[in-house]
Amino acid sequence: DKTGGGGLFHGDTQSKDGEEKRKIEEASYEDSRGGIDGGDDDHPEEWMSRHVFLLPASIRQVKDPMYLVRAFKLWSEENPSVHLVIVGAALDKHMLASLQDEIKDSPNITYDGLVSRRDVLGMISHPSCAGLLNTSKSEGMSGVILEAMALAKSPVIARAIPGNLALIEHNVTGYVFEDPESFLGISISSSSNS
């Protein structure tokens, strides 16, 4: 099962729209992969010399996956050891095209499409994962944030929105950022300490 029992959004299947999202995620799996091979062995060796920041977010407006891309591009030009990996279903084809256009000349930012929940947890647990990111404009209680916190392997670095603030105590259980500049300050510190 390539979606890990509902993909990254397994908690969403309880909502009225959840079943429809799950079907869209499953249908878009191959399309969103863009020819990239999936699986547990995709990144570990490649990640060893890097500080990898993982952004599990479907490609749609509310998840705002492009929020940090420009800031990250500038940072990775100064520090080639940092890498942003975005994973999630391509639910908005126009946003996907914009994302792919924005990152096409950025070797340190990749979009890997939809991966299984198991693979996301493996990525979070990888020693080179410098942080799990959340850029959502709106969020309830994020399952992937809760899972990352439970694993206690990589810090959670999330946008300061009510749902994330309910889960994260800044500098205690994770980090929250107000804007791309404060994200950079937190992430530079996080990657220096990892």
Side-chain angles (χ1 to χ4, degrees):
D1 177 67
K2 293 182 178 184
T3 62
L8 297 180
F9 312 100
H10 62 284
D12 286 349
T13 59
Q14 301 304 314
S15 70
K16 182 177 179 183
D17 296 328
E19 184 63 22
E20 183 177 336
K21 276 191 217 174
R22 185 187 62 74
K23 287 178 183 176
I24 292 169
E25 287 171 3
E26 288 175 357
S28 68
Y29 178 81
E30 291 301 327
D31 184 47
S32 70
R33 298 291 292 155
I36 299 168
D37 291 334
D40 294 326
D41 299 325
D42 244 9
H43 296 287
E45 191 173 317
E46 175 186 329
W47 284 18
M48 290 315 290
S49 62
R50 299 182 179 187
H51 299 287
V52 178
F53 291 83
L54 179 64
L55 174 58
S58 58
I59 308 305
R60 58 186 172 131
Q61 291 293 324
V62 72
K63 297 298 183 178
D64 206 5
M66 293 186 56
Y67 185 67
L68 299 175
V69 168
R70 287 195 177 109
F72 205 94
K73 281 171 69 171
L74 293 173
W75 180 29
S76 67
E77 287 171 9
E78 294 174 15
N79 183 351
S81 72
V82 298
H83 195 92
L84 174 62
V85 176
I86 304 168
V87 297
L91 301 181
D92 180 330
K93 299 298 183 185
H94 297 292
M95 182 174 271
L96 175 62
S98 295
L99 174 66
Q100 289 173 327
D101 187 57
E102 185 70 33
I103 68 174
K104 69 181 175 203
D105 297 322
S106 301
N108 289 26
I109 303 174
T110 58
Y111 170 63
D112 284 359
L114 181 64
V115 299
S116 72
R117 179 175 164 268
R118 180 193 56 166
D119 287 349
V120 169
L121 296 177
M123 291 174 182
I124 294 167
S125 299
H126 193 276
S128 293
C129 187
L132 173 98
L133 307 180
N134 180 292
T135 57
S136 294
K137 294 177 183 179
S138 176
E139 188 79 65
M141 207 167 268
S142 169
V144 74
I145 287 178
L146 290 169
E147 290 170 329
M149 292 169 82
L151 288 170
K153 300 283 186 182
S154 301
V156 172
I157 306 169
R159 194 171 186 172
I161 58 171
N164 292 343
L165 292 171
L167 295 176
I168 301 166
E169 184 178 350
H170 186 65
N171 284 328
V172 177
T173 59
Y175 305 94
V176 292
F177 59 88
E178 296 285 339
D179 51 44
E181 292 76 28
S182 61
F183 158 76
L184 285 176
I186 292 165
S187 298
I188 289 168
S189 175
S190 175
S191 65
S192 297
N193 295 330
S194 60

